[in-house]
Amino acid sequence: MRSVEEHQRVVAELIAARPATTTALADAEGLALADDVTATVSLPVFDNSAMDGYAVRADEVAAASADHPVKLPVAEDIPAGRTDIPTLEPGTAHRIMTGAPMPAGATAVVPVENTDGRTDVVSINAPTAEGRHIRRAGEDVAAGTTVLRAGQLVTPAVVGLAAALGLPELPVIPRQRVLVISTGTELVSPGSPLQPGQIYESNSIMLAAAVRDAGGEVVACPAVEDDVAQFAVVLDRYAAEADLIITSGGVSAGAYEVVKDAFGREGDQGVEFVKVAMQPGMPQGTGLVAGTPIVTLPGNPVSALVSFEVFVRPALRTAMGLPAAHRPRRSATLTETLTSPRGKRQFRRGVFDADAGTVMSYGPPASHHLRWLASANCLLDIPADVSEIAAGSRVELWDLSAP
Ligand code: AMP
Ligand code: MG
């Protein structure tokens, strides 16, 4: 049997980064920058007022006080957005709003709170100092400065900075486009009535959500019956648009294993089916279909999602240059005694209490108990050579609550 680490390597090697591109700001959030970004304008763009108030020559109001206010005629009104730059003549004030350009000759702004607020002749009742309440051009960013680095994650603040610098797009590593195919003749879309022997199809929507959660883009997530011809039709239709194909089901040891039947016949090249020493998720496969990478996941919902978590998510994020390719690993004190199959690395669903530093398993180890995974916040990572862990032991876990 192949080890988890070895299969992680195989999947990671299969998934290649797409060439860098430029993307509109609105679509860039969550991606990694493909290049450094250099400012072509300064921020602030021009000297402007930090307060609503009056632009003055500071020396003219140096003696102002509540008892002896300085009175100045208000010669101009400068709202934000005024595009001409008036000159402040000696012995006058300009009413000015936050963000409005400073008039030529002004050396300070007196906040409106320190005045009577009039628009004909203003009484200024507190002194100010040279430079007070002026935001200087370039004090945040000087034009020509490299403000963002290649590899940095595009966050809301990053798109905000780019927009403030007047950039309509950013250089990014694009999202991986993933085709998710579920297989199984027993599967019925949620919302339709079930016949005896049928179940609701849950892997396609679940894996598509996991792809998006990992930062990827879903090309389509069709479900097909255990029918090689149907499977081939779906592949023909979508595979060319995908950077990665993920299938679920049809890879175990039974009959009617459509994914194995489609790729695993004698003489077929490209897809290799292996057993990985883990629980859940033992039957796995990888390869290329007409040049497109494919990862075949087992069909049991818990196996499918845990396999995605262990193999696909880190590889997708790495290919997209995203930080935290792996979920944070933590250790905690186990509150109960657990057994684990020797020879298999076990990923048990768990509930981790970060404050108490404890973790308990959540639900049985069987791979069809999706309910517990839905409310778990971690995967307990129990090494292959361990068959029992006593209550009170330290255990490793993958924190699913963190990206
Ligand atoms: P398989 O790997 O195809 O043998 O499937 C293993 C188990 O998972 C079976 O009980 C299937 O019914 C179930 N299963 C497979 N695919 C799905 C799916 N897309 N949604 C829900 N259950 C599934
Ligand atoms: Mg099946």
Side-chain angles (χ1 to χ4, degrees):
M1 270 199 274
R2 181 181 278 180
S3 72
V4 168
E5 294 81 355
E6 174 63 13
H7 196 63
Q8 280 177 319
R9 247 190 319 275
V10 170
V11 173
E13 275 167 20
L14 199 61
I15 303 177
R18 293 175 63 191
T21 184
T22 53
T23 298
L25 287 192
D27 302 321
E29 205 229 318
L31 299 177
L33 287 177
D35 215 338
D36 293 352
V37 175
T38 299
T40 54
V41 297
S42 293
L43 292 181
V45 182
F46 48 84
D47 288 1
N48 67 89
S49 178
M51 300 289 282
D52 297 325
Y54 294 83
V56 297
R57 292 167 185 265
D59 56 332
E60 292 181 359
V61 297
S65 68
D67 292 340
H68 300 285
V70 172
K71 292 184 183 246
L72 295 170
V74 181
E76 293 281 349
D77 201 25
I78 315 178
R82 186 163 163 180
T83 53
D84 63 327
I85 306 291
T87 297
L88 182 75
E89 300 299 344
T92 69
H94 290 177
R95 191 167 78 137
I96 192 165
M97 301 301 144
T98 305
M102 289 298 293
T107 62
V109 171
V110 177
V112 67
E113 293 80 0
N114 295 348
T115 74
D116 64 0
R118 290 181 64 129
T119 54
D120 47 357
V121 174
V122 65
S123 282
I124 291 171
N125 52 38
T128 188
E130 197 119 321
R132 281 291 282 159
H133 305 307
I134 299 176
R135 305 192 289 209
R136 295 290 179 196
E139 71 179 26
D140 184 6
V141 175
T145 309
T146 298
V147 286
L148 297 167
R149 292 286 176 193
Q152 215 177 316
L153 180 68
V154 179
T155 60
V158 166
V159 291
L161 174 61
L165 292 168
L167 302 172
E169 43 191 33
L170 281 170
V172 293
I173 302 172
R175 290 183 199 286
Q176 292 278 315
R177 297 160 298 188
V178 184
L179 169 62
V180 177
I181 308 175
S182 288
T183 67
T185 302
E186 72 280 24
L187 306 173
V188 171
S189 292
S192 310
L194 288 180
Q195 304 297 322
Q198 296 182 326
I199 62 166
Y200 286 121
E201 199 280 303
S202 56
N203 287 352
S204 66
I205 193 84
M206 176 176 72
L207 292 170
V211 165
R212 287 190 207 96
D213 186 63
E217 183 181 312
V218 177
V219 172
C221 54
V224 300
E225 292 177 21
D226 292 316
D227 177 278
V228 172
Q230 243 191 62
F231 185 72
V233 166
V234 167
L235 272 183
D236 283 349
R237 169 139 181 229
Y238 296 110
E241 297 166 47
D243 305 302
L244 172 67
I245 302 162
I246 300 173
T247 63
S248 80
V251 292
S252 7
Y256 311 103
E257 305 287 7
V258 62
V259 176
K260 266 193 174 167
D261 290 346
F263 302 121
R265 283 168 306 206
E266 203 65 32
D268 276 358
Q269 299 295 312
V271 182
E272 183 192 13
F273 294 98
V274 295
K275 287 183 174 169
V276 175
M278 69 185 274
Q279 188 198 58
M282 186 175 67
Q284 302 286 340
T286 55
L288 294 172
V289 173
T292 304
I294 184 167
V295 176
T296 69
L297 304 178
N300 267 309
V302 175
S303 309
L305 193 57
V306 169
S307 303
F308 183 93
E309 218 15 92
V310 173
F311 303 116
V312 183
R313 189 177 199 277
L316 272 182
R317 291 184 69 83
T318 300
M320 287 185 281
L322 296 176
H326 294 275
R327 302 275 193 183
R329 307 292 155 88
R330 315 210 187 277
S331 65
T333 302
L334 188 64
T335 58
E336 77 218 287
T337 295
L338 283 182
T339 58
S340 177
R342 188 180 284 283
K344 285 185 181 175
R345 186 162 161 188
Q346 195 188 36
F347 293 95
R348 291 282 292 257
R349 279 60 69 200
V351 174
F352 167 53
D353 181 338
D355 294 331
T358 57
V359 66
M360 62 174 199
S361 74
Y362 199 53
S367 54
H368 58 286
H369 291 261
L370 191 55
R371 166 192 163 185
W372 305 93
L373 182 52
S375 299
N377 64 4
C378 71
L379 291 176
L380 287 160
D381 182 356
I382 302 171
D385 58 359
V386 170
S387 55
E388 186 178 304
I389 314 184
S393 306
R394 296 296 284 176
V395 287
E396 300 299 310
L397 57 90
W398 296 17
D399 188 348
L400 301 179
S401 65

